[in-house]
Amino acid sequence: MRKWHRWLSVFFAIVMIFVAVTGLLHYVVVWWPASEPTAQQIAAAAPPPGFVCPEGWRCIAPAPEAANNPLRPYLGLIHHLHAGSEGGIWGEIIVMLSGLALVFFTVSGMWVYYQMWQNRRARGLKKGLFWK
């Protein structure tokens, strides 16, 4: 199990770091402090006269672009990179496999740790859950 854990982690660490960085970047862009919208921005975001939101739809006016957020125009790209959509079906498969790999690494890491703990206990070495 230790070999599988070690060798698979080499490949999936790169993918998981990419997914983590794009996920963090997405939230940095979304939570970036925005200045109050001007009257022109509010008017531009308003629906055209006579527009009625169809039944069952969720019609929300787009948020005015924050002048102090240089990454806001790239929010869609960041989201697609995070989800793997920019890589087509293979990008989505790799992102999905990295999610499954996270579960595998959690279980196999606990298994390897348990075996190490059991081995130390059997040899009469330092007791406890953590050791140096």
Side-chain angles (χ1 to χ4, degrees):
M1 183 67 77
R2 187 180 278 187
K3 282 184 185 179
W4 280 98
H5 185 88
R6 186 178 303 134
W7 286 107
L8 284 175
S9 68
V10 171
F11 171 73
F12 281 109
I14 296 166
V15 177
M16 285 197 246
I17 289 170
F18 178 78
V19 170
V21 167
T22 55
L24 287 171
L25 191 58
H26 181 270
Y27 280 104
V28 165
V29 171
V30 169
W31 291 342
W32 190 284
S35 57
E36 289 295 319
T38 64
Q40 291 173 335
Q41 289 174 325
I42 293 172
F51 176 79
V52 177
C53 185
E55 174 115 16
W57 286 30
R58 194 173 126 188
C59 298
I60 299 173
E65 296 296 323
N68 59 351
N69 189 342
L71 295 175
R72 189 69 181 194
Y74 303 107
L75 183 61
L77 175 65
I78 293 168
H79 176 75
H80 287 289
L81 288 172
H82 178 71
S85 303
E86 289 295 315
I89 187 71
W90 289 107
E92 292 176 1
I93 288 171
I94 289 173
V95 169
M96 181 196 62
L97 288 176
S98 71
L100 293 173
L102 183 59
V103 173
F104 169 77
F105 291 136
T106 302
V107 172
S108 66
M110 288 189 300
W111 179 257
V112 168
Y113 183 86
Y114 176 74
Q115 287 180 329
M116 290 169 51
W117 177 75
Q118 211 172 23
N119 186 22
R120 289 188 64 77
R121 198 175 80 177
R123 292 189 299 163
L125 297 174
K126 185 176 178 183
K127 301 205 184 304
L129 292 176
F130 303 105
W131 56 85
K132 292 183 180 180

PDB file of all heavy atoms in Angstrom, residues 2 6 10 20 25 30 36-37 54 57 69 72 81 93 115 118 127:
ATOM      1  N   ARG A   2       2.012   1.168   0.674  1.00  0.00           N
ATOM      2  CA  ARG A   2       2.898   2.327   0.744  1.00  0.00           C
ATOM      3  C   ARG A   2       3.433   2.710  -0.634  1.00  0.00           C
ATOM      4  O   ARG A   2       3.545   3.882  -0.964  1.00  0.00           O
ATOM      5  CB  ARG A   2       4.052   2.031   1.696  1.00  0.00           C
ATOM      6  CG  ARG A   2       4.917   3.245   1.938  1.00  0.00           C
ATOM      7  CD  ARG A   2       6.031   2.942   2.871  1.00  0.00           C
ATOM      8  NE  ARG A   2       5.527   3.016   4.225  1.00  0.00           N
ATOM      9  CZ  ARG A   2       6.296   2.926   5.290  1.00  0.00           C
ATOM     10  NH1 ARG A   2       7.582   2.741   5.168  1.00  0.00           N
ATOM     11  NH2 ARG A   2       5.787   3.007   6.492  1.00  0.00           N
ATOM     12  N   ARG A   6       2.768   6.232  -2.473  1.00  0.00           N
ATOM     13  CA  ARG A   6       3.894   7.094  -2.852  1.00  0.00           C
ATOM     14  C   ARG A   6       3.891   7.409  -4.340  1.00  0.00           C
ATOM     15  O   ARG A   6       4.037   8.561  -4.745  1.00  0.00           O
ATOM     16  CB  ARG A   6       5.200   6.409  -2.462  1.00  0.00           C
ATOM     17  CG  ARG A   6       6.403   7.289  -2.694  1.00  0.00           C
ATOM     18  CD  ARG A   6       7.696   6.626  -2.261  1.00  0.00           C
ATOM     19  NE  ARG A   6       7.649   6.229  -0.865  1.00  0.00           N
ATOM     20  CZ  ARG A   6       8.039   5.046  -0.424  1.00  0.00           C
ATOM     21  NH1 ARG A   6       8.509   4.154  -1.240  1.00  0.00           N
ATOM     22  NH2 ARG A   6       7.977   4.757   0.846  1.00  0.00           N
ATOM     23  N   VAL A  10       2.771  11.199  -6.683  1.00  0.00           N
ATOM     24  CA  VAL A  10       3.645  12.008  -7.536  1.00  0.00           C
ATOM     25  C   VAL A  10       2.825  12.654  -8.657  1.00  0.00           C
ATOM     26  O   VAL A  10       2.944  13.846  -8.908  1.00  0.00           O
ATOM     27  CB  VAL A  10       4.795  11.155  -8.116  1.00  0.00           C
ATOM     28  CG1 VAL A  10       5.567  11.926  -9.160  1.00  0.00           C
ATOM     29  CG2 VAL A  10       5.710  10.675  -7.012  1.00  0.00           C
ATOM     30  N   ALA A  20      -6.441  23.059  -6.328  1.00  0.00           N
ATOM     31  CA  ALA A  20      -6.489  23.880  -5.116  1.00  0.00           C
ATOM     32  C   ALA A  20      -6.176  25.341  -5.417  1.00  0.00           C
ATOM     33  O   ALA A  20      -6.866  26.248  -4.929  1.00  0.00           O
ATOM     34  CB  ALA A  20      -5.507  23.335  -4.080  1.00  0.00           C
ATOM     35  N   LEU A  25      -7.998  30.846  -6.098  1.00  0.00           N
ATOM     36  CA  LEU A  25      -8.015  32.033  -6.946  1.00  0.00           C
ATOM     37  C   LEU A  25      -9.453  32.435  -7.275  1.00  0.00           C
ATOM     38  O   LEU A  25      -9.788  33.625  -7.309  1.00  0.00           O
ATOM     39  CB  LEU A  25      -7.223  31.769  -8.222  1.00  0.00           C
ATOM     40  CG  LEU A  25      -6.918  32.957  -9.112  1.00  0.00           C
ATOM     41  CD1 LEU A  25      -6.149  34.020  -8.345  1.00  0.00           C
ATOM     42  CD2 LEU A  25      -6.111  32.510 -10.317  1.00  0.00           C
ATOM     43  N   VAL A  30     -13.936  36.293  -6.287  1.00  0.00           N
ATOM     44  CA  VAL A  30     -15.329  36.489  -5.871  1.00  0.00           C
ATOM     45  C   VAL A  30     -15.417  37.354  -4.621  1.00  0.00           C
ATOM     46  O   VAL A  30     -16.282  38.226  -4.520  1.00  0.00           O
ATOM     47  CB  VAL A  30     -16.007  35.117  -5.628  1.00  0.00           C
ATOM     48  CG1 VAL A  30     -17.353  35.284  -4.954  1.00  0.00           C
ATOM     49  CG2 VAL A  30     -16.163  34.377  -6.941  1.00  0.00           C
ATOM     50  N   GLU A  36     -18.604  50.565  -4.127  1.00  0.00           N
ATOM     51  CA  GLU A  36     -20.035  50.715  -4.369  1.00  0.00           C
ATOM     52  C   GLU A  36     -20.276  51.027  -5.849  1.00  0.00           C
ATOM     53  O   GLU A  36     -19.547  51.830  -6.439  1.00  0.00           O
ATOM     54  CB  GLU A  36     -20.589  51.847  -3.512  1.00  0.00           C
ATOM     55  CG  GLU A  36     -20.644  51.507  -2.033  1.00  0.00           C
ATOM     56  CD  GLU A  36     -21.605  50.375  -1.751  1.00  0.00           C
ATOM     57  OE1 GLU A  36     -22.701  50.339  -2.345  1.00  0.00           O
ATOM     58  OE2 GLU A  36     -21.259  49.511  -0.927  1.00  0.00           O
ATOM     59  N   PRO A  37     -21.272  50.395  -6.467  1.00  0.00           N
ATOM     60  CA  PRO A  37     -21.533  50.670  -7.884  1.00  0.00           C
ATOM     61  C   PRO A  37     -22.063  52.088  -8.086  1.00  0.00           C
ATOM     62  O   PRO A  37     -22.786  52.620  -7.253  1.00  0.00           O
ATOM     63  CB  PRO A  37     -22.583  49.628  -8.262  1.00  0.00           C
ATOM     64  CG  PRO A  37     -23.208  49.219  -6.981  1.00  0.00           C
ATOM     65  CD  PRO A  37     -22.171  49.408  -5.911  1.00  0.00           C
ATOM     66  N   PRO A  54     -39.062  34.659 -17.012  1.00  0.00           N
ATOM     67  CA  PRO A  54     -39.939  33.504 -17.222  1.00  0.00           C
ATOM     68  C   PRO A  54     -40.151  32.702 -15.936  1.00  0.00           C
ATOM     69  O   PRO A  54     -39.278  32.647 -15.084  1.00  0.00           O
ATOM     70  CB  PRO A  54     -39.173  32.671 -18.254  1.00  0.00           C
ATOM     71  CG  PRO A  54     -38.234  33.616 -18.902  1.00  0.00           C
ATOM     72  CD  PRO A  54     -37.884  34.625 -17.864  1.00  0.00           C
ATOM     73  N   TRP A  57     -37.571  30.419 -13.794  1.00  0.00           N
ATOM     74  CA  TRP A  57     -36.189  30.858 -14.012  1.00  0.00           C
ATOM     75  C   TRP A  57     -35.750  31.700 -12.835  1.00  0.00           C
ATOM     76  O   TRP A  57     -36.551  32.293 -12.127  1.00  0.00           O
ATOM     77  CB  TRP A  57     -36.082  31.673 -15.293  1.00  0.00           C
ATOM     78  CG  TRP A  57     -36.152  30.882 -16.548  1.00  0.00           C
ATOM     79  CD1 TRP A  57     -36.810  29.717 -16.763  1.00  0.00           C
ATOM     80  CD2 TRP A  57     -35.552  31.224 -17.781  1.00  0.00           C
ATOM     81  NE1 TRP A  57     -36.667  29.302 -18.042  1.00  0.00           N
ATOM     82  CE2 TRP A  57     -35.882  30.216 -18.710  1.00  0.00           C
ATOM     83  CE3 TRP A  57     -34.774  32.281 -18.218  1.00  0.00           C
ATOM     84  CZ2 TRP A  57     -35.447  30.236 -20.017  1.00  0.00           C
ATOM     85  CZ3 TRP A  57     -34.352  32.299 -19.520  1.00  0.00           C
ATOM     86  CH2 TRP A  57     -34.682  31.275 -20.408  1.00  0.00           C
ATOM     87  N   ASN A  69     -10.935  45.413  -9.225  1.00  0.00           N
ATOM     88  CA  ASN A  69     -10.673  43.973  -9.286  1.00  0.00           C
ATOM     89  C   ASN A  69     -10.195  43.609 -10.687  1.00  0.00           C
ATOM     90  O   ASN A  69     -11.004  43.366 -11.581  1.00  0.00           O
ATOM     91  CB  ASN A  69     -11.939  43.192  -8.926  1.00  0.00           C
ATOM     92  CG  ASN A  69     -11.665  41.713  -8.766  1.00  0.00           C
ATOM     93  OD1 ASN A  69     -10.655  41.201  -9.230  1.00  0.00           O
ATOM     94  ND2 ASN A  69     -12.576  41.021  -8.113  1.00  0.00           N
ATOM     95  N   ARG A  72     -11.511  40.081 -12.240  1.00  0.00           N
ATOM     96  CA  ARG A  72     -12.939  39.787 -12.424  1.00  0.00           C
ATOM     97  C   ARG A  72     -13.291  39.333 -13.843  1.00  0.00           C
ATOM     98  O   ARG A  72     -14.093  38.410 -13.998  1.00  0.00           O
ATOM     99  CB  ARG A  72     -13.764  41.021 -12.037  1.00  0.00           C
ATOM    100  CG  ARG A  72     -15.240  40.773 -11.987  1.00  0.00           C
ATOM    101  CD  ARG A  72     -15.574  39.880 -10.843  1.00  0.00           C
ATOM    102  NE  ARG A  72     -16.992  39.617 -10.806  1.00  0.00           N
ATOM    103  CZ  ARG A  72     -17.595  39.099  -9.773  1.00  0.00           C
ATOM    104  NH1 ARG A  72     -16.931  38.798  -8.692  1.00  0.00           N
ATOM    105  NH2 ARG A  72     -18.874  38.848  -9.810  1.00  0.00           N
ATOM    106  N   LEU A  81     -11.096  26.322 -15.625  1.00  0.00           N
ATOM    107  CA  LEU A  81      -9.824  25.656 -15.339  1.00  0.00           C
ATOM    108  C   LEU A  81      -9.952  24.802 -14.086  1.00  0.00           C
ATOM    109  O   LEU A  81      -9.446  23.670 -14.036  1.00  0.00           O
ATOM    110  CB  LEU A  81      -8.703  26.679 -15.164  1.00  0.00           C
ATOM    111  CG  LEU A  81      -8.226  27.382 -16.419  1.00  0.00           C
ATOM    112  CD1 LEU A  81      -7.252  28.500 -16.054  1.00  0.00           C
ATOM    113  CD2 LEU A  81      -7.584  26.412 -17.382  1.00  0.00           C
ATOM    114  N   ILE A  93     -12.132  14.338 -16.664  1.00  0.00           N
ATOM    115  CA  ILE A  93     -11.810  13.012 -16.115  1.00  0.00           C
ATOM    116  C   ILE A  93     -10.641  13.119 -15.141  1.00  0.00           C
ATOM    117  O   ILE A  93     -10.667  12.520 -14.050  1.00  0.00           O
ATOM    118  CB  ILE A  93     -11.512  12.009 -17.251  1.00  0.00           C
ATOM    119  CG1 ILE A  93     -12.811  11.658 -17.982  1.00  0.00           C
ATOM    120  CG2 ILE A  93     -10.840  10.756 -16.714  1.00  0.00           C
ATOM    121  CD1 ILE A  93     -12.614  10.839 -19.248  1.00  0.00           C
ATOM    122  N   GLN A 115      -0.281   0.710  10.152  1.00  0.00           N
ATOM    123  CA  GLN A 115       0.716  -0.353  10.079  1.00  0.00           C
ATOM    124  C   GLN A 115       2.015   0.057  10.771  1.00  0.00           C
ATOM    125  O   GLN A 115       2.625  -0.747  11.474  1.00  0.00           O
ATOM    126  CB  GLN A 115       0.993  -0.724   8.626  1.00  0.00           C
ATOM    127  CG  GLN A 115      -0.113  -1.504   7.980  1.00  0.00           C
ATOM    128  CD  GLN A 115       0.206  -1.841   6.541  1.00  0.00           C
ATOM    129  OE1 GLN A 115       0.904  -1.095   5.859  1.00  0.00           O
ATOM    130  NE2 GLN A 115      -0.311  -2.971   6.076  1.00  0.00           N
ATOM    131  N   GLN A 118       1.363  -0.019  14.516  1.00  0.00           N
ATOM    132  CA  GLN A 118       1.287  -1.398  14.983  1.00  0.00           C
ATOM    133  C   GLN A 118       2.684  -2.027  15.043  1.00  0.00           C
ATOM    134  O   GLN A 118       3.004  -2.741  15.992  1.00  0.00           O
ATOM    135  CB  GLN A 118       0.389  -2.204  14.035  1.00  0.00           C
ATOM    136  CG  GLN A 118      -0.355  -3.309  14.684  1.00  0.00           C
ATOM    137  CD  GLN A 118      -1.351  -3.920  13.722  1.00  0.00           C
ATOM    138  OE1 GLN A 118      -1.206  -3.828  12.501  1.00  0.00           O
ATOM    139  NE2 GLN A 118      -2.358  -4.563  14.263  1.00  0.00           N
ATOM    140  N   LYS A 127       5.728   4.449  22.785  1.00  0.00           N
ATOM    141  CA  LYS A 127       4.277   4.311  22.696  1.00  0.00           C
ATOM    142  C   LYS A 127       3.634   5.655  22.378  1.00  0.00           C
ATOM    143  O   LYS A 127       4.247   6.690  22.498  1.00  0.00           O
ATOM    144  CB  LYS A 127       3.746   3.773  24.017  1.00  0.00           C
ATOM    145  CG  LYS A 127       4.350   2.429  24.381  1.00  0.00           C
ATOM    146  CD  LYS A 127       3.443   1.660  25.286  1.00  0.00           C
ATOM    147  CE  LYS A 127       4.036   0.361  25.762  1.00  0.00           C
ATOM    148  NZ  LYS A 127       4.470  -0.569  24.805  1.00  0.00           N
TER     149      LYS A 127
END
